[in-house]
Amino acid sequence: MKENTCEAFCCRRTTRISRMAVSFARMNRIRKCVVLAAFGLGCAFLASILLIDPGKSLRFVEPENLKRMSGINLVQREKTSSSMHEAFQLELQLLRTRHVLRTCERLNASGRLLSTNKTLAASQFDSIYIDDDRRILYCSIPKVACTNWKRVFLIMTGKMNTTRPGDLNSGDVHGKLEKKFLRTLNNYTMEEIEHRINTYYKFLFVREPFERLLSAYFNKFTTKYNRLFRRAFGQRIIKLYRKNQPKTNVDDGGDVKFEEFVAYLLDPRTTKRRPFNQHWMQYYELCHPCFIQYDFVGKYETMQEDADLVLKQLGVANTVTFPSYQKRVKTSNFLAQKFANISTEDIHRLWNLYSIDFDLFDYPYPSLLLNSSHAKSRNQS
């Protein structure tokens, strides 16, 4: 009973801190500075009024001391607020990594995480990028800023003609540059893999699973330049899940509807034919977080702050910066709209397909399922 109470307290604490981190991350730079400055001033004011006497209770500072302490240097205040923010981030990281460990224990005990019951082969580590010089492992998850992280890894090789990751063309990053300069863990023997897993700094970045799925759909099936995906997947999806479709659209594989993409994911025949593509494969299958104990769990929702902290922990913050950009249109803005044509039952089935990812990385049961009036009206019609 006591353990359950403690676990519930930790879960609530993790959720509150995560929400605070997301709210802070969504502020613009000026508002962040105002918040941190106000926090720092508040702490400085409290420190100027109260002093803790070792072994005794709090006591007020005498007027003489108050005058002397009132001239606190502004730069020192800024340093204090900055260090306090970093301490907050580190505590958040501790909560995230502990949550993953506890969830893995629970999943293994229940038998839900079947992939850990079999021996992993070297080929299953093809999503994990390695920097042997700096002793780093990074698990790349498509649609979670993986292009920018590959840019950072390329800059860290010291073999690019620029020091700014944003200068590297995305096509080259996923093409000739990756092939020539980057290496993944599956190129090693299992003995070498285990040694690196046990001794290197390991990190990954995740994202709300439904939002990532929608981002993958937009990128692979609604853009003109992704003809390869439309032909490889779009043709089959349209052929299987759309009736009375003109032959020209089937041949092109274009115009895949989101509900057809969801039907493809839910169809048992899909994974029997071959594993999910990496762009919609589950996180636990890509990164094996119950086999690899990651030192850092970053989130797309707090990307800039988390990325800056990772680079600082890697000791490269002064030589490379994570590309900063603001998307004009956020995928999250389209979630309700795109899921409006999906039944409540299928939304739940889709959640169940990715439920381990939701559990491992502390994402709540999707609000689309909690407020399913759109699905109810669809079922009643």
Side-chain angles (χ1 to χ4, degrees), residues 54 130 328 352:
I130 184 165
R328 287 178 293 179
N352 193 56

Side-chain angles (χ1 to χ4, degrees), residues 101-146:
L101 284 172
R102 288 170 179 158
T103 305
C104 285
E105 291 175 358
R106 177 165 49 83
L107 291 172
N108 283 323
S110 65
R112 282 179 65 197
L113 202 61
L114 298 178
S115 62
T116 57
N117 295 330
K118 60 184 179 182
T119 304
L120 291 171
S123 59
Q124 293 175 273
F125 297 95
D126 57 338
S127 293
I128 300 178
Y129 287 77
I130 184 165
D131 183 334
D132 274 322
D133 293 335
R134 292 180 175 81
R135 301 169 68 83
I136 303 168
L137 296 179
Y138 156 65
C139 185
S140 172
I141 297 177
K143 310 313 300 174
V144 193
C146 68

Side-chain angles (χ1 to χ4, degrees), residues 4 21 38 50 54 60 119 121 134 154 165 217 233 252 280 286 327 375 377:
N4 292 338
L50 299 173
F60 282 99
T119 304
R134 292 180 175 81
L154 287 165
Y217 163 76
F233 298 98
D252 178 61
W280 43 85
L286 281 170
K327 283 190 174 182
S377 62

Side-chain angles (χ1 to χ4, degrees), residues 93 97 197 200-204 293-297 313:
Q93 275 307 309
T97 51
I197 287 174
Y200 283 19
Y201 179 91
K202 303 165 289 291
F203 74 98
L204 79 165
Q293 187 173 335
Y294 285 91
D295 301 291
F296 191 99
V297 176
Q313 291 190 341

Side-chain angles (χ1 to χ4, degrees), residues 24 27-41:
F24 185 81
M27 296 180 184
N28 59 37
R29 200 162 292 214
I30 296 175
R31 291 184 66 188
K32 287 177 182 176
C33 292
V34 171
V35 170
L36 289 174
F39 189 66
L41 287 171

Side-chain angles (χ1 to χ4, degrees), residues 298-335:
K299 291 195 173 184
Y300 187 86
E301 295 80 8
T302 51
M303 177 61 71
Q304 198 65 54
E305 284 76 10
D306 289 351
D308 291 344
L309 183 57
V310 167
L311 294 177
K312 188 171 183 179
Q313 291 190 341
L314 295 178
V316 296
N318 294 328
T319 57
V320 61
T321 56
F322 189 81
S324 177
Y325 68 96
Q326 289 290 333
K327 283 190 174 182
R328 287 178 293 179
V329 180
K330 293 184 177 180
T331 304
S332 57
N333 295 341
F334 293 93
L335 274 174

